[in-house]
Amino acid sequence: PPTLVVGAGPQRPAAGTVSAGTAQAPVNQVTLSASGEAIGVTGVTVTAGGSVNDPTGVVGVRLYLDNGTTAGVVDAGDSLLAGPLTYRAANGTVSFSGSPLTVGAQGTTATLLVTYDFSAAGVSNGQTVTAGVTAVSGTGQTSLSAASVSGVPVGGNVLSVAVGGGLTVTSGPRNPAGQTVLSGTVRVPVLQVALQAGPQEDLLVTSLRLTQ
C-alpha cells in the first residue's frame, strides 16, 4: 500500500527572532518519504500558534518544494506549490490542496518549506509565532488508494517578532532663538535637536541632512 512518512526537516528553522515586515520567512520544514509506489501529495495543513493575532500579523502563508540551492530558505530554485493563504482566526489553520501539490517517487524523500509573510504593523515587539504541520494527505499514483500517513504533527519552533526601534527627533531644550550675529563670527549655534531612540533596540545614526 502507498505509505507516506512525515518528519522534521534537517533545516527546520530553529527558535529565534524574526523582524516584523519580513516576507517569506521560513517557519517550518518537513520531509515526506514515499514508499510502496509514487505518491501524489494532495493536502498539507498548517496550524498557527503563539501570541501573534494571525489574521492581522501573518499576511501570507506559502508552501514550497524546498529543492533550491540553499535548503531551509526560499531561493530561486524552490518551487512554490501553493499560497499565499491567510488565517481566519488566531491560532487557526490553513489548508493547501492540489491534485496533486507534488509527486514523490517511490523510495524518495521530498522536502517542503512553510513560510510566513509578516505584517509590519499588525504585530507587537516580543509576540511569538509557531507553525505546525498538522495533517498531510496523499494518493498512490498507481493504485489511486489513499496513502497511509504517519509522523504528523510536526511542530514548528517558537519565533519571536522584533519590531524595529523608532527614532524621534524634536527641538532641543536649548535650541537657539533668533539672533543677530556679526559677519565673520564662527561657531555660532544655530540649531539644537534631541534624538530619542525607541525602547526596542539601540540605533546608529548614520546621516543628518540640514536644509537652509
Side-chain angles (χ1 to χ4, degrees), residues 68-116:
T69 303
T70 305
V73 298
V74 177
D75 59 34
D78 291 330
S79 302
L80 178 63
L81 301 180
L85 301 180
T86 55
Y87 290 108
R88 295 186 178 182
N91 295 342
T93 62
V94 293
S95 294
F96 301 101
S97 61
S99 53
L101 291 164
T102 187
V103 175
Q106 179 180 350
T108 65
T109 297
T111 303
L112 304 184
L113 186 67
V114 181
T115 69
Y116 275 5

Side-chain angles (χ1 to χ4, degrees), residues 116-211:
Y116 275 5
D117 296 337
F118 286 95
S119 168
V123 293
S124 299
N125 194 64
Q127 286 187 314
T128 59
V129 295
T130 63
V133 174
T134 51
V136 175
S137 60
T139 302
Q141 297 299 282
T142 301
S143 66
L144 302 182
S145 299
S148 173
V149 178
S150 63
V152 287
V154 177
N157 288 312
V158 178
L159 299 176
S160 297
V161 179
V163 178
L167 182 66
T168 303
V169 183
T170 59
S171 176
R174 296 183 180 179
N175 191 30
Q179 58 184 309
T180 300
V181 297
L182 297 175
S183 177
T185 304
V186 298
R187 298 179 181 175
V188 178
V190 295
L191 178 69
Q192 184 192 61
V193 296
L195 307 179
Q196 181 176 3
Q200 288 84 8
E201 59 183 334
D202 296 336
L203 296 178
L204 176 65
V205 178
T206 58
S207 65
L208 180 67
R209 176 181 293 181
L210 299 178
T211 302

Side-chain angles (χ1 to χ4, degrees), residues 20-110:
T22 300
Q24 299 180 29
V27 292
N28 205 342
Q29 185 197 57
V30 297
T31 57
L32 306 178
S33 300
S35 62
E37 60 183 284
I39 297 175
V41 179
T42 55
V44 176
T45 298
V46 177
T47 301
S51 59
V52 165
N53 181 32
D54 303 291
T56 57
V58 180
V59 295
V61 187
R62 292 178 167 87
L63 181 67
Y64 286 89
L65 182 63
D66 196 1
N67 57 347
T69 303
T70 305
V73 298
V74 177
D75 59 34
D78 291 330
S79 302
L80 178 63
L81 301 180
L85 301 180
T86 55
Y87 290 108
R88 295 186 178 182
N91 295 342
T93 62
V94 293
S95 294
F96 301 101
S97 61
S99 53
L101 291 164
T102 187
V103 175
Q106 179 180 350
T108 65
T109 297

